[in-house]
Structures are given as C-alpha cells and as structure tokens.
Amino acid sequence: MGAELFAGRMTAEAEGEVTVFLIGMRVNRIRALRSWLPVFKAMPRMLRELSRDKGSGMLGYQLLFGPPRVLCVVQYWDSHERLLEYASAQDKEHRPAWAAFNRRMREGRGKVGFWHETYAVPAGAHEAVYVNMPAFGLGKATGVVPVGRRGDRAADRLSLKRA
C-alpha cells in the first residue's frame, strides 16, 4: 500500500474555484490493439507533461478503473480557462494526440470508445471529506487539512466562500 493514511476526518484544502475534468476510454474490442493502445498510451504522456509544468493549471489527477475495459482519469484544474488553453496549445502533447485519435476513430469503426466531461465549480460550491484515507482526489491535488479548519459539516464547507 505505502501511501500515508491521514487519521480522522480530513477535507481538501482547496478554497477557490476548481475545474473537474473527467476523461476516459472504453475498449470495445480487446483484440483491436491498433485502435485502442495508442489512445491508452497518449494519456500518460500528457499527464507527465502537465505534472512537470507547475504553471499548467492542472492541480492533480486520479486514475480510476471502472467496469470491464474502462479507464477514467479525473483531473483537477485551477480554472476551466487553463484547461482549454492546454487543450488548444499547438506546442503541447494534446493537439497531436487528439488529431491521431480522431484518425483512429474514423478508421476503427467503434473499436474504442472515448468520453469526457468538464465541470467548472465556483468557489464555495465544492466540498470533500476523507476518513482514514491517504490523500485522494481533490485532497491529493490540493492537500488535506482537518475538517474543522473548513467547517465541521458539509453544509458549512459548501457555504464557506459564498457571498
């Protein structure tokens, strides 16, 4: 296991706006390696690039494996503008990966599925609690603090920064 457990109730240290970007793929035909393996391999390159660039706007990410043949990456960003800036940057990993992916999708005829969802969450409209957990999700991306520092109840933490 190895990850440090934080005893008791903790919450994410994030106090400002957060953009949550969910992106994933589903392997529809496991034997069609040429269709899905390049898609699978492109994401780690982008995550490495973003993790190295502290000014990218990506706060952190969490890998999740779902039902058979589904992989999901949950990314946390400091703003949706920074996410969109990265997605359209000509000199970053995303643009060539996206172009190659689109070519494979046309050629692959449904052998791999792809999806993404973006949520721009204003300050005061997100809340998290972790009990006896290692840093995870938004808490892993921004750090964790004892629940009492941001309010003992979820309702307190959700209304903390609202006008």
Side-chain angles (χ1 to χ4, degrees):
M1 294 268 213
E4 176 189 359
L5 290 177
F6 292 96
R9 295 174 60 220
M10 306 296 279
T11 190
E13 197 167 16
E15 292 187 14
E17 80 174 57
V18 174
T19 295
V20 181
F21 181 63
L22 309 174
I23 185 168
M25 65 177 277
R26 180 180 191 277
V27 177
N28 295 328
R29 294 201 187 137
I30 196 80
R31 293 184 182 187
L33 281 170
R34 288 183 2 181
S35 293
W36 64 265
L37 189 59
V39 177
F40 180 81
K41 291 169 81 174
M43 185 55 72
R45 288 193 309 270
M46 288 182 267
L47 292 172
R48 275 192 302 275
E49 175 180 63
L50 288 162
S51 295
R52 287 184 193 129
D53 181 2
K54 298 302 176 199
S56 69
M58 187 181 78
L59 301 170
Y61 66 91
Q62 190 77 49
L63 297 173
L64 302 172
F65 296 92
R69 305 180 315 265
V70 174
L71 172 67
C72 175
V73 182
V74 181
Q75 297 178 9
Y76 301 94
W77 290 75
D78 61 12
S79 71
H80 66 277
E81 293 90 355
R82 301 277 287 275
L83 169 62
L84 296 173
E85 181 182 311
Y86 175 74
S88 62
Q90 298 293 324
D91 61 338
K92 302 293 184 188
E93 288 283 340
H94 178 264
R95 293 292 290 187
W98 182 245
F101 170 76
N102 281 316
R103 281 192 305 276
R104 277 191 196 81
M105 288 298 283
R106 284 190 296 276
E107 297 164 1
R109 296 188 174 90
K111 294 174 184 160
V112 62
F114 165 84
W115 61 274
H116 81 254
E117 300 174 359
T118 307
Y119 302 93
V121 185
H126 54 83
E127 181 283 323
V129 67
Y130 313 97
V131 180
N132 300 326
M133 287 283 295
F136 186 86
L138 183 59
K140 183 177 178 183
T142 64
V144 294
V145 295
V147 163
R149 287 197 198 165
R150 297 203 55 236
D152 284 321
R153 301 175 320 123
D156 298 333
R157 293 187 298 276
L158 280 169
S159 62
L160 202 64
K161 295 295 177 187
R162 290 191 181 161

